[in-house]
Structure formats: C-alpha cells, structure tokens
Amino acid sequence: MTVRRGGGSSSSYRLRRSSPTGPANATVVLSGPGTVSAYDGVGRDDLLLASLTRHLVSGGAQVLQCDMPARHTGVPSEEVDEVARAERLEHLLRAYAHPASGPVSLLGFSLGGHAVLRLLGSTRSRLVDRAVLVGTVVGQKTFVNAPITSLDFVYGSCDLIGYQAVDAPADELPPLTYGPDVYGKWCASRLSCRTEPTVRIHVLNGLGHTLHPCVAEPVMDPVPFLAALTSA
C-alpha cells in the first residue's frame, strides 16, 4: 500500500494505492458512497470497499482510493458534493498517472457514482477505459466525454424509488414506486456519449442500494461480480 497526501495544507487528504505483488494488469479507482469519507472508516459500506479492494488486488489489479469530504448522513446530496468528489478523483488519477497499468476503470457507488459521471463528462478523464456505477440514478441528460468502451449500471433489486406528485396530498395520491428493472433503463437512456460504449444494466436479487443483503435467504456476494465488470 502506498499513501500520499493530496490538497493544500488547509484541506489535505490521503491518496492510497493498493498494489499486487507482481506487475499490475489493470487499474481500478474506487469512489465510495456518501456514507464513506475516510478510507479507513467503519461500517458496512467501508467493509464492502475493503473486501472489493482485496479481491481486485488478489486478481492482479492496483486499486486507487482517496479520502472524500465528510457530509451529514440523512441529508440529500447536492451538486457541491458531486463536484468536490469529482475533483478528488481527478487528482487521484493525475497523481498516479505514471504507474497506471492496463485498462483504467472507475467504480462508483451512489454519490460516488455521480462523481464518476461528473468526471467522465469533463475533458480531464482521457485515461479512463471503463466505468461501473452502483446504485446511481441518473435524473437528467448527462454527457459522457471520456472515450470509454463500456459502462455498467448495477442495482440491487430491493433498491426501490418512490415518486410523489408535489401538488397532491400524500393521503390522496400514493407514491409511485419503481424498481431498478424499470428505472435502470431510464438512467441508461439519459446518457449521451462521445463514443459508443457498451452500456449494460444489471439487477442483483435480494440486495439493496449499496449491494448489502436485504432479504432473509442467502444472496450472491457482489464482490466477485463487480470485480469481473472492471475487466469485462
């Protein structure tokens, strides 16, 4: 593991590179959800990212991560949150541009996925080959400027979205609820890409927003599946 310091003295944060024992065959940048700020934090999402990092490194990839700005949980994210995270992802890629090996993939969860999309829409993401977005809902037309070859949307089947008419009382008109098998297609249709990447939608049964189990029966481990998408 290599740790570097990014940012100025008043807003410093850590960059981390986890490397395999031999030459790396790929580079994967992890962009965690809004619940994760420090990469050595605690909680279910941190454990998932740690497990994913170990799996990727054991498969020969080097994994890049960095601390993200902390935000209040339970409060909807705003554009400023996406911008701040996208800027740090850009710096992370720039800091490790020289040791980047093989195809470069961005893997973002929820808010981290929105930060990935914001970076892909800029003119500063030329190194990126693939993107994987987990639990990321695209609400408006989004341009992807990076010349990526594939973009995968991954959702848990239990990650439902409800819409309520703003001018109707809640007791008169119940919210409309959609599953990722429906809104996933909407998200893909809102993308406009400079190239023609392969766009795929995956729904994993029994998992929630950041791919944690939401049912009593056994469910698949999402880690090997996500790792495979970074090289598919």
Side-chain angles (χ1 to χ4, degrees), residues 81-106:
D81 297 310
E82 297 177 18
V83 171
R85 281 167 167 73
E87 288 177 348
R88 292 198 181 184
L89 291 178
E90 179 193 350
H91 183 265
L92 180 62
L93 279 170
R94 189 169 63 248
Y96 288 110
H98 177 66
S101 301
V104 177
S105 301
L106 300 182

Side-chain angles (χ1 to χ4, degrees), residues 204-228:
L204 308 186
N205 290 330
L207 302 181
H209 182 55
T210 50
L211 304 186
H212 294 288
C214 290
V215 294
E217 58 267 21
V219 295
M220 71 174 290
D221 180 359
V223 167
F225 180 78
L226 293 177

Side-chain angles (χ1 to χ4, degrees), residues 59-124:
Q62 65 174 349
V63 179
L64 307 181
Q65 300 177 73
C66 67
D67 291 335
M68 288 296 182
R71 56 181 297 273
H72 296 293
T73 59
V75 178
S77 61
E78 299 178 348
E79 183 178 5
V80 64
D81 297 310
E82 297 177 18
V83 171
R85 281 167 167 73
E87 288 177 348
R88 292 198 181 184
L89 291 178
E90 179 193 350
H91 183 265
L92 180 62
L93 279 170
R94 189 169 63 248
Y96 288 110
H98 177 66
S101 301
V104 177
S105 301
L106 300 182
L107 202 168
F109 292 75
S110 190
L111 175 58
H114 284 287
V116 165
L117 277 178
R118 184 169 290 274
L119 177 60
L120 292 177
S122 72
T123 59
R124 304 180 298 276

Side-chain angles (χ1 to χ4, degrees), residues 38-70:
Y39 56 61
D40 54 358
V42 295
R44 295 198 310 169
D45 291 330
D46 293 272
L47 294 176
L48 178 61
L49 291 176
S51 177
L52 181 56
T53 298
R54 290 192 297 270
H55 190 93
L56 288 165
V57 171
S58 68
Q62 65 174 349
V63 179
L64 307 181
Q65 300 177 73
C66 67
D67 291 335
M68 288 296 182

Side-chain angles (χ1 to χ4, degrees), residues 172-194:
E172 293 183 11
L173 184 63
L176 298 175
T177 303
Y178 299 97
D181 55 329
V182 174
Y183 69 72
K185 298 175 183 176
W186 298 346
C187 294
S189 69
R190 290 168 178 146
L191 294 181
S192 176
C193 303
R194 185 167 68 88

Side-chain angles (χ1 to χ4, degrees), residues 157-170:
S157 65
C158 300
D159 189 12
L160 306 181
I161 293 179
Y163 293 89
Q164 178 73 51
V166 296
D167 57 349

